[in-house]
Amino acid sequence: MMRPQDLLQPRPEGLYCSPGDFYIDPVRPTPRAVVTHGHSDHARSGHGIVLATPETLAIMTERYGADFAQGRQPVAYGERVDRDGVEISLAPAGHVLGSAQAVLRWRGFTAVVSGDYKRRRDPTCKGFEPVQCDLFVSEATFGLPVFRHPPDTEEIARLLHSVRQFPERAHLVGAYALGKAQRLIRLLREAGWERPIYIHGAMQRLCALYEDLGVELGPLEPATAERGGDLAGEIVICPPSALQEKWSRRFADPVTAFASGWMSVRARARQRGVELPLVMSDHADWDELISTFRELPEALLWITHGREDGLLRWAELEGRKAQALRLSGYEDEED
């Protein structure tokens, strides 16, 4: 009988596919890598051949330069390629632009390595598509019942209400530069915000790349030092770290906000000095993780990089086979 470990094994470099001789999201340079998405804990430079979606390869080129790998193999969603008898395809993961689940088929066995994923609508990327499988490898970033994220529209409405309530103050919104910032901008546009949105210099290149890849973001302006005192009533998006840096002091009495799933933990908001916590995540919350597992009723579950214990207990109560897959080197970009 086919065993999952005959196809996939955790190694220090990452999750290794032995029959196909490649790694998925390796944390160290490897000869052959499949990369699920462009966040730096999953997409690293220095590999031999990198297989990923065209969007993820474009993001890696923007972040690391044209020589980030010795070679690259773009694979569109649904396209199938062969690696030494292992069939590889990519399915949308709904995490950020170009994010994918790696679908491996070998000797009648199907394994899906989901990378990072979310289940709610995101206007900047294709939504998650479940793939029936024998093994599903899932993250567990928000794998506790306490994590139930509110609708994005409610959080955007809270931000816009604060802008109307405090027109004399700029609103500085911390958001991760890849994925979260662009999603936040698109949601603001859908909510009717047509004025320019001001962005930190660290956001400019990735926002420009999103536009080049077909994601319209509307008018964006740089949040320069000269404009700092003139942005009352405006929305400024910056990396979360910039909220604590000298850069933020150019704004007179700003409202500090932070868009992250961790903002449901009020102690974290207080520790960061966040006045307006916005609970917005690019990861699945507890209910979305559970609903995903239920959509894949035949799959053995491997749970990794997150809060595995809660999901393992749920699986035990549901009579599902599950185990922790403790891969190292993966951090939560929202934290």
Side-chain angles (χ1 to χ4, degrees):
M1 180 178 293
M2 174 71 180
R3 302 177 305 164
Q5 56 267 36
D6 294 334
L7 180 61
L8 288 170
Q9 307 101 35
R11 291 188 176 181
E13 297 91 336
L15 196 58
Y16 179 61
C17 176
S18 177
D21 189 25
F22 60 85
Y23 288 85
I24 301 174
D25 293 346
V27 298
R28 302 176 186 173
T30 61
R32 301 203 292 189
V34 174
V35 173
T36 61
H37 66 281
H39 281 144
S40 58
D41 58 334
H42 291 255
R44 306 184 189 228
S45 61
H47 302 304
I49 303 297
V50 172
L51 183 153
T53 63
E55 294 86 354
T56 293
L57 292 174
I59 289 167
M60 293 181 73
T61 299
E62 183 62 48
R63 302 191 101 177
Y64 302 127
D67 59 349
F68 72 85
Q70 295 175 24
R72 62 195 78 184
Q73 183 174 5
V75 175
Y77 293 131
E79 181 182 351
R80 300 189 178 198
V81 299
D82 180 87
R83 282 282 176 87
D84 298 339
V86 177
E87 182 186 274
I88 307 171
S89 61
L90 301 176
H95 181 55
V96 297
L97 183 63
S99 61
Q101 306 168 77
V103 183
L104 314 181
R105 295 181 175 92
W106 183 63
R107 296 183 178 179
F109 187 90
T110 300
V112 175
V113 182
S114 61
D116 291 337
Y117 66 97
K118 68 174 178 294
R119 298 304 307 269
R120 59 189 63 196
R121 173 184 173 273
D122 183 336
T124 69
C125 66
K126 289 198 68 173
F128 179 96
E129 294 180 5
V131 178
Q132 296 302 315
C133 55
D134 303 292
L135 169 67
F136 184 67
V137 182
S138 175
E139 61 146 312
T141 302
F142 292 104
L144 290 173
V146 69
F147 294 116
R148 289 181 163 95
H149 306 321
D152 301 337
T153 52
E154 291 184 4
E155 300 305 281
I156 294 296
R158 292 178 57 238
L159 172 58
L160 293 177
H161 174 74
S162 182
V163 172
R164 291 191 297 269
Q165 188 177 16
F166 302 106
E168 74 283 2
R169 304 171 70 187
H171 280 63
L172 307 188
V173 185
Y176 194 68
L178 171 58
K180 183 66 63 62
Q182 296 79 21
R183 178 180 169 209
L184 179 63
I185 290 168
R186 281 294 308 149
L187 290 172
L188 284 165
R189 299 305 186 199
E190 291 183 352
W193 186 266
E194 298 179 351
R195 286 152 54 181
I197 294 173
Y198 294 84
I199 57 174
H200 187 282
M203 305 284 186
Q204 292 176 7
R205 290 169 57 191
L206 284 171
C207 285
L209 178 62
Y210 263 63
E211 293 244 285
D212 290 343
L213 294 174
V215 180
E216 296 183 4
L217 301 177
L220 302 177
E221 298 287 344
T224 61
E226 297 76 21
R227 285 175 166 166
D230 299 326
L231 295 182
E234 304 295 348
I235 296 173
V236 181
I237 300 179
C238 62
S241 59
L243 296 175
Q244 311 296 328
E245 295 173 353
K246 183 179 178 181
W247 176 88
S248 66
R249 298 176 198 151
R250 68 186 63 181
F251 304 95
D253 190 27
V255 175
T256 57
F258 185 17
S260 167
W262 295 112
M263 289 298 96
S264 62
V265 181
R266 298 305 177 187
R268 292 208 181 196
R270 289 194 298 270
Q271 289 168 1
R272 288 179 172 268
V274 174
E275 184 175 346
L276 180 62
L278 302 172
V279 184
M280 290 180 56
S281 177
D282 285 328
H283 298 266
D285 68 6
W286 171 264
D287 290 331
E288 291 163 344
L289 290 166
I290 297 306
S291 66
T292 301
F293 296 165
R294 286 179 170 151
E295 287 182 79
L296 308 171
E298 304 302 319
L300 166 66
L301 304 174
W302 283 1
I303 314 298
T304 186
H305 56 282
R307 284 135 194 86
E308 297 98 336
D309 290 346
L311 292 171
L312 291 175
R313 177 59 175 162
W314 173 88
E316 180 183 6
L317 295 173
E318 293 285 320
R320 294 287 299 271
K321 294 182 179 179
Q323 67 185 63
L325 184 66
R326 304 189 186 279
L327 297 172
S328 61
Y330 300 96
E331 304 297 334
D332 176 21
E333 71 277 358
E334 296 185 347
D335 192 2

